[in-house]
Amino acid sequence: MTGRAQPYGLRPLLRASCRFVLAVCLSALCQSLFACEAETNGWGDEGRYAEAEFSNARGSSGQHESWVPHDAQLTLHAGFTRETDEYGHRVLGHVRDAKILTIHVRRPGDDRITCPTGVVLPQGQVFEDIAPRLVDLDGDGMPEIIVVQSEQSRGARLAVFDRRARLLAVTSYIGRTHRWLAPIGAADLDGDGNIEIAYIDRPHLAKTLRIWRFEKGTLTEIASKPGLSNHKIGWAHIPGGIRNCGDGPQFITANHNWTRIMASSLDGGAIQSRDIGPYAGPDSLNHATDCP
C-alpha cells in the first residue's frame, strides 16, 4: 500500500509543475512577441529614410503584427545608417554609402516602434543609394523595400527586402566595380497585376533603361532600351520618375546627351520613347512628372 501511495500522491505535484512550466513558456512567448516593441531611440531619425502608410490587409497571420487589429493603419520606416567610405565610388557626391538598412513599423499615436530590424552588410558591400523606396510589390497591402546594393568587385544591383529585412529578390550585378544603376520607379506597366521596376543601367556610360518584373517573389528582366539617362556623376539626387496622365505609366528621363526630355512606356513587351520637350536642368525632369 505504501509503495503505491507515494507515486499517486505525486500526481497533483506533477500536474502543478506542468502548469507552472506551461505558464512560464507562455509568458516567455508573450514577451518574445511584445519584445519587438521598443522606444524609438533615434530609429529612422538618422540617415536617409522613407516612410509609407499601409493597412494590415491580411492580418499577418503567424507574424509579429498578427496581434495588431486587422484594419490598423501602420507606418513603415526604412532608412540607411552607418555611413561609410569603404567602397569609394562617391557617385552620389556628398551622399555617402551606408552599411545598414533599418526597418521598423509605427502605429498611429504611439511613440514606440514595432519589431525593429535591419540588414547589416558585410565588408565589401554597401548600400549605394539616396534613400530606400517603399512599394507594395506583391499586392498584400504592405510595402516592400527597394534599394541599390553595390559589391566591391561586381558593382551595383537592385535588391528587394520585406519589412522583416528578408531578402526577397535581386537583379544581377552589373559585373564590374564602380558601375552603378539609378532607379526610376515601379508601377504595373501592362495592367497584368504584376509590378515592374525600372532603372537606368550605368547612367553615365551604358545609359540603358532596364525593366524588371516582380512576380512570385522573383525579378525577371523583360525589356531594355539604350540612349536614356537620369543621373550625372556627383548629383545627390535622381531627377525624373514616373507619371500617369491617363494613358498608362511613363518613365521620365533625359536622352543620352541631355538635350531632350523623354517619356518611355512599355507597349507590347517593348519600350517606346517619345520626346516631350527640351531638357533645361534636373528640375525640368521633375516638372515633367506632372501631367500637362
Side-chain angles (χ1 to χ4, degrees):
M1 294 291 295
T2 304
R4 293 180 181 178
Q6 187 173 5
Y8 180 83
L10 285 176
R11 288 177 185 174
L13 179 60
L14 290 173
R15 284 196 295 267
S17 298
C18 289
R19 285 196 296 268
F20 174 77
V21 171
L22 178 61
V24 170
C25 291
L26 288 174
S27 174
L29 175 61
C30 290
Q31 289 179 11
S32 69
L33 287 175
F34 287 91
C36 65
E37 287 191 352
E39 298 299 324
T40 56
N41 293 327
W43 271 69
D45 296 331
E46 57 177 315
R48 293 99 62 192
Y49 72 95
E51 62 181 37
E53 291 186 355
F54 65 96
S55 173
N56 203 19
R58 291 183 179 172
S60 297
S61 177
Q63 299 178 2
H64 290 300
E65 273 117 353
S66 59
W67 51 272
V68 177
H70 176 75
D71 59 351
Q73 295 295 317
L74 308 176
T75 303
L76 185 141
H77 294 249
F80 294 131
T81 59
R82 193 184 294 173
E83 293 183 333
T84 178
D85 295 318
E86 73 174 62
Y87 186 46
H89 192 193
R90 300 305 295 267
V91 71
L92 292 170
H94 66 80
V95 174
R96 299 170 66 196
D97 303 334
K99 295 293 292 184
I100 298 177
L101 170 65
T102 63
I103 305 166
H104 67 266
V105 175
R106 276 197 180 101
R107 289 179 290 173
D110 194 336
D111 290 335
R112 293 172 298 176
I113 59 178
T114 301
C115 301
T117 187
V119 180
V120 182
L121 295 180
Q123 182 71 26
Q125 296 183 22
V126 297
F127 293 110
E128 192 177 17
D129 205 347
I130 293 167
R133 291 150 199 86
L134 306 180
V135 181
D136 181 7
L137 296 176
D138 57 11
D140 68 350
M142 305 176 193
E144 281 69 47
I145 300 106
I146 304 171
V147 296
V148 179
Q149 179 185 351
S150 294
E151 200 266 345
Q152 187 66 50
S153 62
R154 292 179 288 177
R157 70 178 181 181
L158 207 68
V160 177
F161 293 89
D162 69 7
R163 68 191 183 284
R164 293 280 172 256
R166 294 173 294 202
L167 183 62
L168 298 180
V170 294
T171 66
S172 53
Y173 283 106
I174 291 174
R176 291 184 59 185
T177 188
H178 293 179
R179 296 294 184 265
W180 186 66
L181 61 88
I184 301 173
D188 181 359
L189 299 182
D190 51 11
D192 67 349
N194 295 307
I195 301 297
E196 283 77 37
I197 306 174
Y199 63 77
I200 300 294
D201 176 2
R202 290 159 290 176
H204 324 118
L205 296 172
K207 301 180 180 180
T208 299
L209 169 61
R210 298 192 185 278
I211 298 177
W212 295 68
R213 175 173 292 138
F214 184 85
E215 185 176 12
K216 297 180 180 178
T218 63
L219 283 168
T220 304
E221 186 173 5
I222 60 170
S224 65
K225 183 175 183 177
L228 302 168
S229 186
N230 64 343
H231 186 266
K232 291 187 177 183
I233 293 175
W235 279 1
H237 60 282
I238 303 172
I242 297 181
R243 74 177 188 183
N244 191 336
C245 300
D247 52 356
Q250 298 177 327
F251 298 115
I252 303 300
T253 68
N255 63 351
H256 72 285
N257 61 2
W258 291 88
T259 59
R260 309 298 298 179
I261 299 174
M262 308 299 292
S264 301
S265 58
L266 188 66
D267 185 8
I271 299 172
Q272 306 295 332
S273 300
R274 63 185 181 92
D275 185 328
I276 60 172
Y279 171 78
D283 282 343
S284 65
L285 290 179
N286 294 328
H287 293 324
T289 61
D290 298 327
C291 296

